[in-house]
C-alpha cells in the first residue's frame, strides 16, 4: 500500500529563518497532497494543499512544491515566526476505483526560537 | 457554527468493555474518517466513509467497526477494547473524498479540506 515518509522529525530554526519539511510517497497513483498543522493540544488544520497537476503552490509565507517523477513534495515556510511552532503533517491521497484513503506522514515538530 | 463534534472527549475504560465514540458534522459533508494519533506514528486512518452506507478500511482497521446510516454521523465502535487501542482519536469530514474530482457544490481546497473534531483521548486498562 501507500507509504509516506516525512523528514525531519524535529526542526529548530531562528525566527526569520526559513524551514523546509520533506515528504516522499510510494504510490504514483496518489494525486492530492495536503499539509496539516497541529498546535499543541489542538486539532490538525489544513494549511495548504496541492494536486498532482500542479508543481508549486504558494500562500503568503508558505509554499509547497511537488515532484511527481521523484515522488516527493516539500513544505517551505519563509520568515518563520514563533506562532509557526507546531507539528506539521504531510499526507498523500491514494485513490483507486474503490478506495479513497489519506495516508499521513509521521509529523515534523517545528520550533521557532525568538 | 460549522463544526465536527466528538463524544466523549475523554474516556478511561477496561479491557473488553464495548464502547462507542460518536462523531457528528453539520456541514453536509460526504466524506468522513476516523484517525488515531500515537507519538512517533502520526495520524493513521482507521476507517473512512465516502457517503451514507459506504465505508471502507483505512490503514489500521483491526479491532474497530464503523457505520454510516446518516450523512451527519459516523460512530466508531470498539467491540472489545484492548490496551493497544489507548490513543488519541480524531474524527474528520470533508465535502468530497480526498482523491475524487469535485463537480459538486465545493471546489478546490474547500472540497477536500478535512475538518477535524476536537479529539477523544481513550485509555484502556
Amino acid at each position: 500500500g501507500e507509504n509516506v515518509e516525512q523528514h525531519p522529525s524535529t526542526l529548530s530554526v531562528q525566527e526569520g529563518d526559513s524551514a523546509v519539511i520533506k515528504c516522499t510517497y510510494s504510490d504514483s497513483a496518489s494525486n492530492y497532497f495536503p499539509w496539516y498543522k497541529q498546535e499543541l493540544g489542538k486539532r490538525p488544520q489544513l494549511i495548504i494543499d496541492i494536486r498532482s497537476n500542479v508543481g508549486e503552490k504558494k500562500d503568503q509565507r508558505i509554499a509547497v512544491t511537488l515532484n511527481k517523477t521523484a515522488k516527493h513534495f516539500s513544505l517551505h515556510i519563509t520568515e518563520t515566526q514563533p506562532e509557526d511552532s507546531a507539528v506539521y503533517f504531510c499526507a498523500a491521497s491514494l485513490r483507486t476505483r474503490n478506495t479513497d484513503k489519506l495516508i499521513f506522514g509521521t509529523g515534523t515538530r517545528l520550533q521557532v526560537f525568538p | 457554527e460549522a463544526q465536527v463534534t466528538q463524544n466523549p472527549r475523554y474516556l478511561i475504560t477496561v479491557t473488553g468493555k464495548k464502547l462507542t465514540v460518536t462523531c457528528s458534522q453539520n456541514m453536509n459533508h460526504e466524506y468522513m474518517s476516523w484517525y488515531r494519533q500515537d507519538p512517533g506514528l502520526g495520524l493513521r486512518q482507521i476507517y473512512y466513509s465516502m457517503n451514507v452506507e459506504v465505508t471502507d478500511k483505512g490503514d489500521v482497521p483491526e479491532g474497530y467497526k464503523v457505520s454510516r446510516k446518516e450523512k451527519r454521523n459516523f460512530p466508531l465502535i470498539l467491540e472489545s477494547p484492548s490496551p493497544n487501542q489507548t490513543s488519541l482519536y480524531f474524527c474528520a469530514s470533508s465535502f468530497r473524498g480526498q482523491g475524487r474530482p469535485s463537480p459538486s457544490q465545493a471546489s478546490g481546497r474547500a472540497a477536500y479540506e478535512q475538518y477535524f473534531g476536537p479529539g477523544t483521548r481513550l485509555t484502556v486498562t
Side-chain angles (χ1 to χ4, degrees):
Chain A
E2 173 69 286
N3 183 49
V4 176
E5 293 191 1
Q6 182 171 350
H7 299 282
S9 56
T10 60
L11 180 59
S12 297
V13 300
Q14 206 72 33
E15 182 178 1
D17 287 350
S18 295
V20 180
I21 302 170
K22 298 181 179 182
C23 289
T24 61
Y25 60 99
S26 60
D27 195 313
S28 56
S30 294
N31 63 352
Y32 175 65
F33 307 91
W35 285 87
Y36 283 81
K37 174 184 179 182
Q38 186 179 29
E39 296 176 358
L40 190 61
K42 297 191 175 180
R43 67 194 79 183
Q45 288 188 298
L46 181 71
I47 55 170
I48 195 167
D49 58 2
I50 192 168
R51 297 199 70 84
S52 57
N53 58 349
V54 176
E56 185 173 354
K57 186 175 178 181
K58 192 173 181 181
D59 183 2
Q60 299 183 333
R61 294 187 298 107
I62 59 173
V64 58
T65 58
L66 171 65
N67 183 326
K68 281 196 302 180
T69 304
K71 290 190 281 189
H72 67 71
F73 56 114
S74 301
L75 178 72
H76 305 253
I77 307 174
T78 58
E79 299 171 29
T80 53
Q81 301 166 4
E83 51 265 38
D84 294 329
S85 296
V87 178
Y88 292 80
F89 293 99
C90 63
S93 173
L94 172 59
R95 177 175 65 93
T96 67
R97 189 170 59 179
N98 300 312
T99 65
D100 202 347
K101 295 183 181 181
L102 188 64
I103 309 297
F104 281 86
T106 50
T108 296
R109 183 174 300 279
L110 173 65
Q111 289 183 295
V112 180
F113 292 99
Chain B
E1 180 190 353
Q3 59 182 346
V4 178
T5 56
Q6 292 178 230
N7 281 293
R9 296 287 313 281
Y10 303 91
L11 179 60
I12 301 173
T13 189
V14 295
T15 299
K17 186 177 180 183
K18 181 179 178 180
L19 67 92
T20 298
V21 184
T22 64
C23 173
S24 184
Q25 51 90 9
N26 62 359
M27 295 171 279
N28 200 36
H29 285 171
E30 290 182 356
Y31 188 93
M32 296 187 74
S33 185
W34 276 103
Y35 300 91
R36 59 178 290 174
Q37 184 173 21
D38 302 289
L41 297 177
L43 291 155
R44 293 181 292 167
Q45 194 173 41
I46 303 170
Y47 268 95
Y48 64 94
S49 169
M50 291 192 278
N51 215 323
V52 176
E53 302 290 2
V54 180
T55 63
D56 206 352
K57 297 177 181 178
D59 254 9
V60 289
E62 296 76 20
Y64 304 94
K65 283 175 58 176
V66 293
S67 68
R68 187 95 180 271
K69 294 184 171 61
E70 307 163 280
K71 199 170 188 178
R72 64 184 293 128
N73 296 323
F74 191 45
L76 179 70
I77 302 156
L78 284 72
E79 294 270 4
S80 183
S82 62
N84 65 11
Q85 292 178 300
T86 292
S87 187
L88 177 61
Y89 291 86
F90 285 102
C91 178
S93 71
S94 61
F95 269 113
R96 301 289 293 185
Q98 298 305 290
R100 285 174 168 261
S102 176
S104 72
Q105 62 218 100
S107 62
R109 170 176 169 152
Y112 307 105
E113 177 171 2
Q114 288 202 85
Y115 291 84
F116 282 78
T120 295
R121 188 165 292 281
L122 172 66
T123 302
V124 184
T125 62

